[in-house]
Amino acid sequence: MSEPKPRSRAKKAAVKTSPAPAAALPAQVASHAVAPYVPASMALPAPGTDLFDYFASNSGRLIFKWMHYFDIYEKHFAAFRGRDIKFLEIGVFHGGSLQMWKNYFGPRAQIIGVDINPACKAFEEEGITIEIGSQEDREFLRDLAAKYGPFDIVLDDGGHTMAQQIISFEELYHHVRRDGLYVCEDLHTSYWKDWGGGYRKANTFIEYSKELIDQLHAWHSKDPESFQVTPFTQSAFGLHFYDSMLVIEKRLITPPFSRATGKPSF
């Protein structure tokens, strides 16, 4: 199987400002950014979010995030804080986000990072383990799941190509615990040609995930020959689509039923 394209960090902050001088940008950021890079000190605050506060005051390893992601993280991740969890992040970059997750979830969390760049192995520390491999390599992902799974949260912030996102989901979703989360971010690459995307192009992750909406509703199918309940139907409680991010909540799902209470009016 061919190796994935180099990891892109094509992200921008949701702040209108002039680009920083080229000399002020980290080389990897400057080479991939498609919009003005905004240092954390210039970013708009996200009131009441511990993750954003950590990000905004970060003077350690580089973290590069879209600003609207922080509210989404807080909404879905807060319930996992202080617990014995396994958090898998695909895409290590400079290791800063792994340290942010470690700080946020607390000392009982096991943080596992995955990257194709062998240099990322140097970012291991207490509470953080890093595995080197391609997220497009199914055998590698299966070995990863066998070694560390099941996971409470899987966050795909890797190379963002269509094959990488789809293969990672297919191999890792069923290794997320009941009541866990599968998160895929930077979905805007589904609209970018260089990542294999395009508006309503077949086989993008956006089009792939639209099929998951159908599977979520398969309990109500009147066409059992072509539209049936799947393991996804039986495990997905909700799909939350945000700008550039999909969060899938897992639960044990049984066939839905309805009830009525009270007295009829007519």
Side-chain angles (χ1 to χ4, degrees):
M1 184 176 292
S2 60
E3 289 296 309
K5 296 178 182 178
R7 295 184 68 257
S8 169
R9 308 306 297 184
K11 301 180 178 181
K12 66 179 180 179
V15 182
K16 300 295 184 181
T17 186
S18 301
L25 303 183
Q28 295 91 335
V29 174
S31 64
H32 292 294
V34 294
Y37 170 81
V38 181
S41 60
M42 296 173 59
L44 295 176
T49 60
D50 290 341
L51 280 168
F52 181 84
D53 291 345
Y54 180 98
F55 172 81
S57 61
N58 177 44
S59 60
R61 294 185 182 132
L62 182 66
I63 308 172
F64 202 16
K65 290 288 183 183
W66 293 79
M67 294 299 94
H68 69 280
Y69 284 6
F70 289 97
D71 283 341
I72 303 169
Y73 293 149
E74 293 277 358
K75 177 179 179 179
H76 292 282
F77 292 174
F80 294 86
R81 300 185 75 178
R83 291 169 44 187
D84 295 309
I85 66 165
K86 291 182 181 179
F87 181 97
L88 173 66
E89 181 172 37
I90 303 173
V92 172
F93 197 37
H94 286 252
S97 62
L98 295 178
Q99 292 182 318
M100 179 174 71
W101 303 129
K102 175 182 173 181
N103 176 271
Y104 180 74
F105 289 112
R108 295 168 61 185
Q110 181 180 3
I111 310 297
I112 304 109
V114 170
D115 205 287
I116 197 170
N117 181 2
C120 292
K121 190 70 174 175
F123 301 142
E124 284 190 328
E125 60 183 63
E126 184 178 356
I128 297 176
T129 304
I130 295 172
E131 295 288 338
I132 304 301
S134 169
Q135 71 174 117
E136 203 170 349
D137 183 338
R138 291 183 183 271
E139 184 175 356
F140 167 74
L141 294 178
R142 290 168 187 169
D143 290 343
L144 181 77
K147 184 175 181 179
Y148 295 103
F151 305 102
D152 295 275
I153 301 174
V154 171
L155 173 62
D156 181 358
D157 185 22
H160 311 310
T161 69
M162 303 305 98
Q164 290 169 339
Q165 290 176 334
I166 291 171
I167 288 172
S168 296
F169 173 79
E170 290 179 346
E171 294 298 332
L172 295 175
Y173 172 78
H174 57 283
H175 292 288
V176 174
R177 294 182 190 274
R178 184 190 305 175
D179 299 321
L181 302 172
Y182 189 95
V183 183
C184 186
E185 60 184 48
D186 290 2
L187 301 187
H188 47 267
T189 59
S190 281
Y191 305 100
W192 292 357
K193 182 178 179 180
D194 288 347
W195 276 257
Y199 176 56
R200 295 197 173 175
K201 180 181 176 181
N203 301 318
T204 66
F205 190 79
I206 286 289
E207 294 303 312
Y208 181 92
S209 63
K210 289 177 183 178
E211 296 279 343
L212 300 179
I213 299 174
D214 289 333
Q215 292 184 45
L216 186 73
H217 293 87
W219 298 111
H220 308 284
S221 172
K222 302 297 185 183
D223 186 14
E225 292 185 2
S226 58
F227 184 30
Q228 301 176 350
V229 169
T230 68
F232 184 83
T233 313
Q234 297 170 321
S235 65
F237 175 69
L239 283 75
H240 302 265
F241 284 90
Y242 303 93
D243 176 358
S244 303
M245 191 185 296
L246 170 61
V247 179
I248 303 175
E249 287 185 274
K250 292 192 72 173
R251 290 189 192 177
L252 175 62
I253 306 297
T254 56
F257 62 94
S258 60
R259 295 177 55 194
T261 63
K263 299 178 180 179
S265 300
F266 50 85

